[in-house]
Amino acid sequence: MSRIVTVGAAQMGAIQRADSRAAVVKRMIELMRQAAAHGCDVVVYPELTLTTFFPRWFMENQDEIDTFFEREMPSNETAPLFNEAARLGIGFSFGYAELTPEGRHFNTSLIVDKTGRQVGKYRKIHLPGHREPEPWRAFQHLEKRYFEVGDLSWGVWNAFGGLAGMMICNDRRWPESYRVMGLQGVEMIFVGYNTPRHNPPAPDHDRLSEFHNQLVLQAGAYQNGTWVVGVGKCGVEEGCEMIGATSIVAPTGEIIGQSLTQEDELVIARCDLDLTKSYKATTFNFDLHREPDQYRRIVEQKGVIRPSAD
Ligand code: CDV
């Protein structure tokens, strides 16, 4: 038995501030057409696909900030993407900045199935960076200022013949993100990211940016017996270099498809969802081998131990 999902990981190169939504959607459609021509069932785009990564700037004017947000989905500007997907009969997942009718701001991603139905929505939970401007940084990372913590937890949805879930960028560095979906039986996780190469508070990490990206995607896939599709927005955006390293990772923990450029590039892999089964049934059979009572007891007894300040 096999359940093959052919996935197109649609890495996007830099998107500058002056680039219109229409221009970005055109690039997305071009990648989508390539994916359809190669028989893909689903095409996956990065975090905040529609605009430049705006949290790099400190802005005080809420009207200006809100120009980066979407009030409806699809909108006039994104409708061509939805229409083309419906015409091609292909599913897709992408990230965008969501402004709700109640005025709430989230870093959000969607899964749209092959019939054009929005089957899943996720709002980013692990918001990195800082809330107040830090002028010593060449680039700000003000996600904590511009977004609320997501309120939808990590869901899994029936899509593409299996159980699909999402997380967004920094979520991929936290084992909890994968595990909450793993406990719900997830078989394929889509994760888009915008990862600057330079980490201002810890520049010694910079040389390891791609390694850390692969490390967490591979560990998360293996430890939860799931496929993981990691998709970067990359290249030099408004002077800020961001990593590519778009990767499709099997439940074995192996990377079976990876980007080669820092530009718009489609990475394709045939992913057998049934490959998840032997991992979920043996080494990572959660019912048989996890010990949640012990984890809880140890934390309750010892509390959370932090390194001393000196
Ligand atoms: N957009 C992100 O969430 N970026 C973070 C950076 C700031 C470390 C990431 O984890 O890639």
Side-chain angles (χ1 to χ4, degrees):
M1 278 285 289
S2 59
R3 284 179 295 146
I4 304 291
V5 180
T6 303
V7 176
Q11 174 172 287
M12 303 276 299
I15 295 172
Q16 310 303 341
R17 190 166 184 167
D19 293 345
S20 66
R21 301 258 201 312
V24 175
V25 166
K26 198 164 167 235
R27 286 165 59 183
M28 293 171 79
I29 288 175
E30 168 54 29
L31 290 164
M32 182 178 273
R33 287 183 180 151
Q34 287 179 30
H38 286 88
C40 289
D41 298 291
V42 57
V43 55
V44 185
Y45 300 97
E47 174 191 34
L48 300 173
T49 317
L50 299 171
T51 67
T52 198
F53 188 74
F54 63 89
R56 71 168 63 92
W57 294 298
F58 174 51
M59 295 172 278
E60 290 181 282
N61 181 329
Q62 193 61 45
D63 291 338
E64 182 187 7
I65 296 165
D66 286 349
T67 61
F68 294 98
F69 283 77
E70 314 301 317
R71 289 182 163 76
E72 50 183 359
M73 191 57 65
S75 59
N76 286 343
E77 287 145 319
T78 51
L81 182 73
F82 285 73
N83 294 342
E84 187 64 3
R87 190 184 74 79
L88 296 167
I90 194 169
F92 62 105
S93 176
F94 76 108
Y96 64 99
E98 177 190 12
L99 176 52
T100 73
E102 298 77 32
R104 302 180 70 190
H105 297 76
F106 295 103
N107 186 339
T108 296
S109 58
L110 282 182
I111 295 174
V112 181
D113 73 9
K114 289 169 125 181
T115 70
R117 198 168 56 94
Q118 295 187 25
V119 290
K121 179 185 263 196
Y122 169 69
R123 291 171 172 159
K124 184 174 182 178
I125 290 175
H126 295 105
L127 297 173
H130 44 111
R131 198 175 308 276
E132 298 307 324
E134 296 182 356
W136 59 271
R137 290 176 183 249
F139 297 99
Q140 305 296 300
H141 199 107
L142 289 159
E143 285 195 62
K144 287 189 193 299
R145 183 178 195 90
Y146 298 139
F147 300 114
E148 284 182 48
V149 172
D151 60 351
L152 301 175
S153 187
W154 287 278
V156 301
W157 296 275
N158 280 301
F160 315 115
L163 283 176
M166 290 172 280
M167 54 188 164
I168 300 178
C169 197
N170 193 258
D171 287 323
R172 76 194 189 286
R173 303 187 194 275
W174 300 86
E176 295 86 348
S177 316
Y178 303 85
R179 185 49 53 88
V180 173
M181 286 185 270
L183 287 166
Q184 299 171 76
V186 75
E187 294 173 305
M188 182 168 276
I189 297 174
F190 303 139
V191 48
Y193 54 87
N194 284 267
T195 298
R197 171 169 312 286
H198 180 48
N199 181 359
D204 51 319
H205 301 185
D206 293 0
R207 71 181 180 85
L208 300 167
S209 301
E210 280 91 354
F211 168 67
H212 287 155
N213 178 58
Q214 315 305 58
L215 181 68
V216 292
L217 297 178
Q218 291 182 257
Y222 171 64
Q223 291 173 342
N224 294 278
T226 180
W227 290 89
V228 174
V229 181
V231 186
K233 177 138 72 62
C234 58
V236 181
E237 210 176 76
E238 298 291 349
C240 178
E241 186 195 348
M242 299 192 298
I243 68 162
T246 289
S247 304
I248 300 177
V249 187
T252 58
E254 295 164 290
I255 297 175
I256 65 153
Q258 193 170 2
S259 63
L260 295 173
T261 71
Q262 298 285 102
E263 297 163 10
D264 292 10
E265 179 184 344
L266 189 70
V267 178
I268 300 172
R270 291 176 78 249
C271 307
D272 183 357
L273 298 183
D274 281 344
L275 193 53
T276 63
K277 284 186 176 167
S278 65
Y279 289 90
K280 290 186 190 294
T282 63
T283 313
F284 297 110
N285 183 325
F286 292 161
D287 289 340
L288 275 184
H289 306 307
R290 277 185 84 245
E291 296 292 352
D293 292 344
Q294 295 304 316
Y295 311 150
R296 206 172 301 116
R297 188 179 63 79
I298 292 159
V299 172
E300 276 165 15
Q301 276 179 4
K302 295 190 182 290
V304 178
I305 301 165
R306 296 182 195 285
S308 63
D310 51 23

